[in-house]
CSV table of all heavy atoms in Angstrom, one decimal:
chain,number,residue,atom,x,y,z
A,577,ILE,N,2.4,-12.4,-41.2
A,577,ILE,CA,3.5,-13.0,-41.7
A,577,ILE,C,4.7,-12.0,-41.9
A,577,ILE,O,5.9,-12.3,-41.7
A,577,ILE,CB,3.2,-13.7,-43.0
A,577,ILE,CG1,2.2,-14.9,-42.7
A,577,ILE,CG2,4.4,-14.2,-43.8
A,577,ILE,CD1,1.5,-15.5,-43.9
A,578,ALA,N,4.3,-10.9,-42.5
A,578,ALA,CA,5.4,-9.9,-42.8
A,578,ALA,C,6.1,-9.5,-41.5
A,578,ALA,O,7.4,-9.3,-41.4
A,578,ALA,CB,4.9,-8.7,-43.5
A,579,LEU,N,5.4,-9.2,-40.4
A,579,LEU,CA,5.9,-8.7,-39.2
A,579,LEU,C,6.8,-9.9,-38.5
A,579,LEU,O,7.9,-9.6,-38.0
A,579,LEU,CB,4.9,-8.3,-38.3
A,579,LEU,CG,4.1,-7.0,-38.6
A,579,LEU,CD1,2.9,-6.8,-37.8
A,579,LEU,CD2,5.0,-5.8,-38.4
A,580,ALA,N,6.3,-11.1,-38.6
A,580,ALA,CA,7.0,-12.2,-38.0
A,580,ALA,C,8.3,-12.5,-38.7
A,580,ALA,O,9.4,-12.7,-38.1
A,580,ALA,CB,6.1,-13.5,-38.0
A,581,GLU,N,8.3,-12.4,-40.1
A,581,GLU,CA,9.5,-12.7,-40.8
A,581,GLU,C,10.5,-11.5,-40.6
A,581,GLU,O,11.7,-11.7,-40.7
A,581,GLU,CB,9.2,-12.9,-42.3
A,581,GLU,CG,8.5,-14.2,-42.6
A,581,GLU,CD,8.2,-14.4,-44.0
A,581,GLU,OE1,8.2,-13.5,-44.8
A,581,GLU,OE2,8.0,-15.6,-44.4
A,582,ALA,N,10.0,-10.3,-40.4
A,582,ALA,CA,10.9,-9.2,-40.2
A,582,ALA,C,11.7,-9.3,-38.9
A,582,ALA,O,12.8,-8.9,-38.7
A,582,ALA,CB,10.1,-7.9,-40.1
A,583,GLU,N,11.1,-10.1,-38.0
A,583,GLU,CA,11.8,-10.5,-36.7
A,583,GLU,C,12.6,-11.8,-36.7
A,583,GLU,O,13.1,-12.2,-35.7
A,583,GLU,CB,10.8,-10.5,-35.6
A,583,GLU,CG,10.2,-9.2,-35.3
A,583,GLU,CD,9.2,-9.2,-34.0
A,583,GLU,OE1,9.0,-10.3,-33.5
A,583,GLU,OE2,8.9,-8.1,-33.5
A,584,GLY,N,12.6,-12.4,-37.9
A,584,GLY,CA,13.3,-13.7,-38.1
A,584,GLY,C,12.6,-14.8,-37.4
A,584,GLY,O,13.3,-15.8,-37.1
A,585,LEU,N,11.4,-14.7,-37.2
A,585,LEU,CA,10.6,-15.8,-36.5
A,585,LEU,C,9.7,-16.6,-37.5
A,585,LEU,O,8.5,-16.4,-37.7
A,585,LEU,CB,9.8,-15.2,-35.4
A,585,LEU,CG,10.6,-14.5,-34.3
A,585,LEU,CD1,9.7,-13.8,-33.3
A,585,LEU,CD2,11.5,-15.5,-33.6
A,586,SER,N,10.4,-17.4,-38.3
A,586,SER,CA,9.7,-18.1,-39.4
A,586,SER,C,8.6,-19.1,-38.9
A,586,SER,O,7.6,-19.3,-39.6
A,586,SER,CB,10.7,-18.9,-40.2
A,586,SER,OG,11.4,-19.8,-39.5
A,587,ALA,N,8.8,-19.7,-37.7
A,587,ALA,CA,7.8,-20.6,-37.2
A,587,ALA,C,6.5,-19.8,-36.9
A,587,ALA,O,5.3,-20.3,-37.1
A,587,ALA,CB,8.2,-21.3,-36.0
A,588,HIS,N,6.7,-18.5,-36.4
A,588,HIS,CA,5.5,-17.8,-36.2
A,588,HIS,C,4.7,-17.5,-37.5
A,588,HIS,O,3.5,-17.6,-37.6
A,588,HIS,CB,5.9,-16.4,-35.6
A,588,HIS,CG,6.2,-16.4,-34.1
A,588,HIS,ND1,7.2,-17.2,-33.6
A,588,HIS,CD2,5.6,-15.8,-33.1
A,588,HIS,CE1,7.1,-16.9,-32.3
A,588,HIS,NE2,6.2,-16.1,-31.9
A,589,ALA,N,5.5,-17.1,-38.5
A,589,ALA,CA,4.9,-17.0,-39.9
A,589,ALA,C,4.2,-18.2,-40.3
A,589,ALA,O,3.1,-18.1,-40.9
A,589,ALA,CB,5.9,-16.4,-40.8
A,590,ASN,N,4.9,-19.3,-40.1
A,590,ASN,CA,4.2,-20.6,-40.7
A,590,ASN,C,3.0,-21.0,-39.9
A,590,ASN,O,2.2,-21.6,-40.5
A,590,ASN,CB,5.3,-21.7,-40.5
A,590,ASN,CG,4.9,-23.0,-41.2
A,590,ASN,OD1,4.7,-22.9,-42.4
A,590,ASN,ND2,4.8,-24.1,-40.5
A,591,SER,N,2.8,-20.5,-38.6
A,591,SER,CA,1.6,-20.8,-37.9
A,591,SER,C,0.5,-20.2,-38.6
A,591,SER,O,-0.6,-20.7,-38.6
A,591,SER,CB,1.8,-20.2,-36.5
A,591,SER,OG,0.5,-20.3,-35.8
A,592,ILE,N,0.7,-19.1,-39.3
A,592,ILE,CA,-0.4,-18.4,-40.1
A,592,ILE,C,-0.5,-19.1,-41.5
A,592,ILE,O,-1.6,-19.5,-41.9
A,592,ILE,CB,-0.1,-16.9,-40.3
A,592,ILE,CG1,0.1,-16.3,-38.9
A,592,ILE,CG2,-1.2,-16.3,-41.1
A,592,ILE,CD1,-1.1,-16.3,-38.0
A,593,ARG,N,0.6,-19.3,-42.1
A,593,ARG,CA,0.6,-19.9,-43.5
A,593,ARG,C,0.0,-21.3,-43.6
A,593,ARG,O,-0.9,-21.5,-44.5
A,593,ARG,CB,2.0,-20.0,-44.0
A,593,ARG,CG,2.7,-18.8,-44.5
A,593,ARG,CD,3.9,-19.1,-45.3
A,593,ARG,NE,4.6,-17.8,-45.8
A,593,ARG,CZ,5.7,-17.4,-45.2
A,593,ARG,NH1,6.2,-18.1,-44.1
A,593,ARG,NH2,6.2,-16.3,-45.6
A,594,VAL,N,0.2,-22.1,-42.5
A,594,VAL,CA,-0.3,-23.5,-42.6
A,594,VAL,C,-1.8,-23.5,-42.6
A,594,VAL,O,-2.4,-24.5,-43.0
A,594,VAL,CB,0.3,-24.2,-41.4
A,594,VAL,CG1,-0.3,-23.9,-40.1
A,594,VAL,CG2,0.2,-25.8,-41.6
A,595,ARG,N,-2.4,-22.5,-42.1
A,595,ARG,CA,-3.9,-22.5,-42.0
A,595,ARG,C,-4.5,-22.1,-43.4
A,595,ARG,O,-5.7,-22.3,-43.5
A,595,ARG,CB,-4.4,-21.5,-41.0
A,595,ARG,CG,-4.2,-21.9,-39.6
A,595,ARG,CD,-4.4,-20.9,-38.5
A,595,ARG,NE,-4.6,-21.5,-37.2
A,595,ARG,CZ,-3.7,-22.0,-36.4
A,595,ARG,NH1,-2.4,-22.0,-36.8
A,595,ARG,NH2,-4.0,-22.6,-35.2
A,596,PHE,N,-3.8,-21.5,-44.3
A,596,PHE,CA,-4.4,-21.0,-45.5
A,596,PHE,C,-3.7,-21.6,-46.8
A,596,PHE,O,-4.4,-21.9,-47.8
A,596,PHE,CB,-4.3,-19.5,-45.6
A,596,PHE,CG,-5.1,-18.9,-44.4
A,596,PHE,CD1,-4.4,-18.3,-43.4
A,596,PHE,CD2,-6.5,-18.9,-44.5
A,596,PHE,CE1,-5.1,-17.8,-42.3
A,596,PHE,CE2,-7.2,-18.4,-43.4
A,596,PHE,CZ,-6.5,-17.8,-42.3
A,597,GLY,N,-2.4,-21.8,-46.8
A,597,GLY,CA,-1.7,-22.2,-48.1
A,597,GLY,C,-2.0,-21.2,-49.1
A,597,GLY,O,-1.8,-19.9,-49.0
Side-chain angles (χ1 to χ4, degrees):
I577 290 168
L579 291 167
E581 289 183 337
E583 293 188 351
L585 299 175
S586 57
H588 280 63
N590 191 56
S591 173
I592 304 299
R593 282 197 184 99
V594 74
R595 283 169 163 78
F596 300 106

